[in-house]
Amino acid sequence: MTEAKKDAPWLFRTYAGHSTAKASNALYRTNLAKGQTGLSVAFDLPTQTGYDSDHELSRGEVGKVGVPVNHLGDMRALFDQIPLEQMNTSMTINATAPWLLALYIAVAEEQGADVSKLQGTVQNDIIKEYLSRGTYICPPKPSLRMITDVAAYTQKHLPKWNPMNVCSYHLQEAGATPEQELAFALATACAVLDDLKGKVAPEDFPNMVGRISFFVNAGIRFVTEMCKMRAFVDLWDEILLDRYGITDAKYRRFRYGVQVNSLGLTEQQPENNVYRILIEMLAVTLSKKARARAVQLPAWNEALGLPRPWDQQWSLRMQQILAYETDLLEYGDLFDGNPAVDAKVAALKQGAREELAQIDAMGGAVASIEYMKGRLVEANAERIARIEGNETVVVGVNRWTEAAPSPLTAGDGAIMVVDEAAERDQIERLTQWRATRDEAAVKAALTTLREACADGRNVMPASIAAAKAGATTGEWGATVRAAFGQYRGPTGVSKNRSNRTEGLDPIREAVSAVSSRLGRQLKFLVGKPGLDGHSNGAEQIAARARDCGMDIHYDGIRLTPAEIVAAAAEQEAHVVGLSILSGSHLPLIAETMERMKAAGLGDIPVVVGGIIPEDDAAKLRAMGVAAIYTPKDFELNRIMLDIVALVDPTPVAAE
C-alpha cells in the first residue's frame, strides 16, 4: 500500500525584529536554523513612519516593536550571511515600502544576487493604515500612487515578488466584523487594481493581479473564521472574473498569509493563550480550499510584553507539529459539501457584497476612509460591550477568573526587555553614517526623488539610487512629505453620543454632578504620544467618555509630549489620558509629566493605558501618574467612574 502523497506545508514564519539590525540578524539566523522557512521582518515605528532614529518623535520608540533601519548599512547588517536570492522575505512595511524595498534590492545587488529571482512580499497597504494601524505618511491619493509604483516596478524587475499584501489583519484588531473585514480588504484591493491598470500593459495585468496577496487575521470563533476564508476565496475569484475580466483561473487564486489574532490574547491567565493560538491556526489550515500560504503565530505572552526567543520557538513548534506529525496534509478539503459551512459562507458573502456596494456607491475605498473608520470604531465598541456584559465569554477575564499563579510568568526574564542602550547605539551609528557618506551624492539623489514625486515618474528607481547614495529613512520620508504633504487621518470618534445606554445612567449622573461642581463640563483630553498608531484603546476610551457626558478632546495619533501639554492648557483639561502600546511609555510619559509641571499643569491628574509591566507601573506612579490601566482592565464603565472620582473637587468622604 503506497502512502498518500502529502501536500507541501505552508511557510513557517515568525514576525521578528528588535533593538538593532545586528541583534535581529542573529535572531533570524537562529530561527532559520530551528526550521523556520521564511523571514518576516518587523520594523520599529520610526522606520515605519519615515523618521530617523534621532528624530524628536522617535524618542523611546527605537527598536521597540521591530528593528530600526535608517540606511543601507543597517539593511546590510540585517541580512548579513543570509543569501537573499535563496530567501523568501516578508517585510511588514507600508508607508515606507518603496524605501525599504529599495534598500533590500540594493543589498541583494551587493550580495551578487540575481534581482529577478528575489522572492518575498512588502505589505504596502496604506489604506488600512488610515483605518487601523496609523503608520501612514502622506494623504491617501499619493499613497495609492506609491503602492502601484512599487507594483509596476516589480512587474518589470522582480517578477517573483509580491508587491502588495492587502492587510485585513489590523481591521479585525480594530473590531471589524467578518463581513467588514472581507469588504474593506476587497475594496482596498479594487482601489489598487483600478490604479494599477494605467501603469502596466494590458497583457501584463493578469500576471500582476496574480502577484497581489492578502494578509489576514484568524480569531477565536473557529467556524466563522474558517468560513470567512472560504468566502474570501470565492469573492476574490468573483471580483477578478466579473470586474477585471481575468479569465485564467491561476491568476484568480486567493493567496494569503496569516497571523492569528493578537487582540484576543489575554493578560489574565496568559498561559490560556497557547490554546487560543492553536485553535485560531486551525481555522486557516484545516480547509485545503482556503489554506494559508504562510502562517506566523504570536507568542503566548504578547499581552505582557516583548516575547523572548523561546516563546517564539514555542509558537513555531506548534506549526511544525500540525504539519509534520498529523495527517492533515494527506487529505483533500474536509469541509466541501458541509451544509452548515456552505450556509455560513453564503451569509458572509452576502453581507460583504452589501458592504462593498455601499463603498462603491461612495466612490471606492479611498473616498470611503472616514466612513470605514467610523464603522470600525462602532463595531469595536459593540465588541467590548458584549465582553463587559458577559454576553461574550472570555475565559479568565469575565468568567473563571480564579486561577493558580502561572509559573510561566514567574521571576525575572519572563518577558524580553529591549536594552535602553540600543537606542543610543543606533543613534551613534546613524551619526557616523552621515559623517562618512558623500553628501553631494545624497543631495543629488534626493533632488531626483523629489522631481520624480512631482512629475509622476515611478518613485522606485529614484528611491534605489538614494539608497545606494547613502540617504536615510528620515530623508526619504521628508522628501515625500515635502512633495505630497502630511496627513492626519480621521479618528472615527463622532462628537455625537451613540445609542448605547446600558449601565451608563449612574455614570452620566456622576459626570453631571461633578461638572456642576467644576462650573463647566468635565473636560477629558485623550492623547497618543509618540509614534504608536494602535489607537483602538484610545478611541474606545474617548467614545465611552463621550457617551458618559464628558467633553472629550481627542486629536488622534502621533503627537509629541509638547503638543499634548499645549492642548491640555488650551482645552483647560480636567484630566489627561495617555495611551501607548509600543512599550515606550516610560520615556514618553516622563517627558509629558515634566512638561505638565513646567507649564503649571501639575495638578491635572494623568491616567495611562498600555501594555505596562508592574515594575514599569511602579515607576509611572512615582512620576505622579494617577491611574494605570492595562489590557486586563476591560470594564470601561469602571474606568469612567475612576476618572470622575479623580477630578471631583469635593470627593465624598468614606462612610
Side-chain angles (χ1 to χ4, degrees):
M1 183 177 176
T2 58
E3 185 179 346
K5 185 180 183 299
K6 284 190 174 184
D7 291 334
W10 51 90
L11 283 171
F12 303 160
R13 286 192 174 127
T14 304
Y15 183 53
H18 66 86
S19 303
T20 64
K22 184 177 179 181
S24 298
N25 172 262
L27 176 62
Y28 294 163
R29 287 191 283 122
T30 299
N31 286 346
L32 289 169
K34 290 176 180 176
Q36 187 173 300
T37 53
L39 291 178
S40 181
V41 183
F43 296 100
D44 74 354
L45 288 172
T47 305
Q48 292 183 49
T49 50
Y51 294 106
D52 284 332
S53 296
D54 58 356
H55 191 277
E56 178 188 12
L57 276 168
S58 301
R59 186 184 176 202
E61 306 279 17
V62 178
K64 282 284 169 58
V65 301
V67 59
V69 174
N70 284 170
H71 47 71
L72 184 59
D74 284 341
M75 190 64 98
R76 201 181 281 148
L78 185 63
F79 293 108
D80 182 41
Q81 301 178 59
I82 298 175
L84 297 186
E85 190 175 306
Q86 301 170 29
M87 191 51 51
N88 190 306
T89 304
S90 171
M91 293 194 286
T92 305
I93 195 70
N94 295 289
T96 51
W99 175 242
L100 271 297
L101 181 57
L103 290 171
Y104 190 86
I105 291 169
V107 169
E109 289 182 352
E110 286 184 351
Q111 290 185 357
D114 179 348
V115 171
S116 69
K117 293 182 180 177
L118 294 181
Q119 295 186 69
T121 303
V122 277
Q123 191 164 95
N124 198 26
D125 178 358
I126 303 299
I127 293 176
K128 63 93 178 175
E129 296 299 320
Y130 303 122
L131 301 178
S132 54
R133 183 61 184 83
T135 67
Y136 52 78
I137 293 178
C138 302
K141 286 186 178 179
S143 292
L144 180 63
R145 171 208 161 164
M146 285 193 284
I147 291 174
T148 53
D149 276 1
V150 169
Y153 185 85
T154 61
Q155 169 65 27
K156 287 186 178 180
H157 302 283
L158 282 76
K160 295 185 176 182
W161 194 269
N162 298 319
M164 188 193 188
N165 216 209
V166 182
C167 180
S168 69
Y169 176 83
H170 291 104
L171 300 180
Q172 186 176 129
E173 296 284 293
T177 66
E179 293 86 352
Q180 289 170 345
E181 189 179 343
L182 287 162
F184 295 0
L186 292 169
T188 295
C190 289
V192 170
L193 292 179
D194 288 347
D195 196 63
L196 187 59
K197 284 182 81 171
K199 293 187 177 182
V200 298
E203 61 270 22
D204 291 332
F205 186 69
N207 176 263
M208 195 74 261
V209 171
R211 302 309 309 167
I212 302 295
S213 59
F214 288 72
F215 186 71
V216 306
N217 200 329
I220 195 65
R221 290 174 59 78
F222 162 75
V223 176
T224 297
E225 293 297 307
M226 188 269 294
C227 291
K228 179 190 76 182
M229 297 321 307
R230 291 171 71 92
F232 252 134
V233 169
D234 291 349
L235 287 167
W236 185 235
D237 184 82
E238 181 182 297
I239 287 169
L240 294 184
L241 184 62
D242 297 346
R243 180 169 177 150
Y244 296 103
I246 306 298
T247 55
D248 190 332
K250 73 180 179 184
Y251 294 134
R252 301 200 307 269
R253 287 179 59 202
F254 184 79
R255 301 160 57 253
Y256 79 100
V258 65
Q259 159 124 351
V260 307
N261 190 286
S262 293
L263 177 68
L265 300 184
T266 63
E267 182 181 359
Q268 305 93 315
Q269 301 178 28
E271 62 278 3
N272 295 340
N273 293 330
V274 175
Y275 305 128
R276 293 184 176 105
I277 293 165
L278 172 60
I279 291 166
E280 290 163 355
M281 178 177 65
L282 294 178
V284 294
T285 53
L286 287 188
S287 173
K288 181 176 180 178
K289 177 183 177 183
R291 184 170 295 147
R293 293 280 294 272
V295 176
Q296 59 193 45
L297 304 180
W300 66 281
N301 56 351
E302 284 194 13
L304 306 179
L306 189 64
R308 302 157 297 185
W310 181 86
D311 305 311
Q312 294 186 328
Q313 174 187 295
W314 200 9
S315 287
L316 175 62
R317 295 291 181 252
M318 195 181 295
Q319 297 201 54
Q320 291 167 328
I321 289 166
L322 179 64
Y324 292 111
E325 292 192 22
T326 78
D327 58 353
L328 171 66
L329 298 178
E330 297 171 15
Y331 292 90
D333 199 290
L334 306 178
F335 301 97
D336 281 348
N338 182 303
V341 168
D342 289 348
K344 183 63 176 177
V345 170
L348 288 171
K349 288 196 293 188
Q350 182 58 29
R353 287 191 192 102
E354 291 170 1
E355 192 71 71
L356 274 167
Q358 175 68 29
I359 293 168
D360 272 342
M362 297 174 74
V366 169
S368 305
I369 285 170
E370 190 164 353
Y371 162 78
M372 291 190 286
K373 179 67 175 178
R375 292 275 284 161
L376 288 176
V377 171
E378 187 59 29
N380 204 15
E382 292 170 2
R383 181 190 67 83
I384 291 170
R386 288 192 296 271
I387 295 172
E388 286 182 292
N390 294 324
E391 182 182 341
T392 296
V393 173
V394 183
V395 174
V397 173
N398 60 6
R399 201 166 178 188
W400 302 296
T401 55
E402 296 298 320
S406 170
L408 293 175
T409 59
D412 293 337
I415 58 172
M416 186 173 170
V417 178
V418 173
D419 184 358
E420 293 301 323
E423 181 168 333
R424 292 193 298 274
D425 174 62
Q426 176 69 18
I427 292 172
E428 286 170 6
R429 285 183 293 102
L430 171 61
T431 302
Q432 185 179 11
W433 176 268
R434 291 195 190 109
T436 55
R437 66 187 184 175
D438 183 339
E439 283 297 324
V442 171
K443 186 175 180 180
L446 292 173
T447 298
T448 301
L449 174 62
R450 174 73 183 268
E451 291 168 353
C453 291
D455 66 20
R457 276 178 288 155
N458 192 303
V459 300
M460 282 302 300
S463 295
I464 294 169
K468 292 178 178 178
T472 67
T473 297
E475 289 164 343
W476 185 91
T479 301
V480 299
R481 284 182 175 92
F484 299 133
Q486 297 200 64
Y487 181 74
R488 182 166 291 280
T491 67
V493 182
S494 167
K495 289 290 184 185
N496 302 318
R497 286 187 186 181
S498 72
N499 295 325
R500 196 173 297 106
T501 58
E502 189 171 352
L504 296 189
D505 286 343
I507 309 172
R508 287 175 175 171
E509 291 171 7
V511 169
S512 179
V514 168
S515 298
S516 295
R517 290 193 283 274
L518 291 169
R520 59 189 174 91
Q521 202 70 9
L522 192 163
K523 186 79 177 193
F524 182 21
L525 184 145
V526 179
K528 287 281 298 176
L531 295 176
D532 172 35
H534 285 106
S535 57
N536 305 332
E539 290 157 3
Q540 293 307 315
I541 289 289
R544 185 63 60 87
R546 171 205 65 199
D547 289 348
C548 290
M550 299 183 200
D551 182 5
I552 61 161
H553 180 82
Y554 174 54
D555 264 347
I557 63 170
R558 216 180 298 171
L559 300 170
T560 64
E563 287 171 329
I564 289 171
V565 172
E570 181 185 341
Q571 296 289 323
E572 298 182 317
H574 294 113
V575 61
V576 172
L578 304 177
S579 170
I580 307 173
L581 280 86
S582 63
S584 57
H585 41 268
L586 289 177
L588 288 173
I589 291 168
E591 182 181 348
T592 304
M593 298 300 286
E594 289 164 7
R595 288 181 177 276
M596 292 277 286
K597 289 172 186 170
L601 305 176
D603 58 334
I604 297 177
V606 174
V607 299
V608 174
I611 300 175
I612 302 171
E614 186 49 44
D615 287 350
D616 287 359
K619 294 173 184 175
L620 294 176
R621 292 187 191 99
M623 293 177 196
V625 171
I628 296 164
Y629 301 99
T630 66
K632 71 178 183 299
D633 301 299
F634 67 96
E635 295 176 301
L636 299 191
N637 286 352
R638 184 178 67 79
I639 295 173
M640 295 300 113
L641 286 171
D642 290 350
I643 289 169
V644 171
L646 281 173
V647 300
D648 193 342
T650 55
V652 179
E655 294 182 3

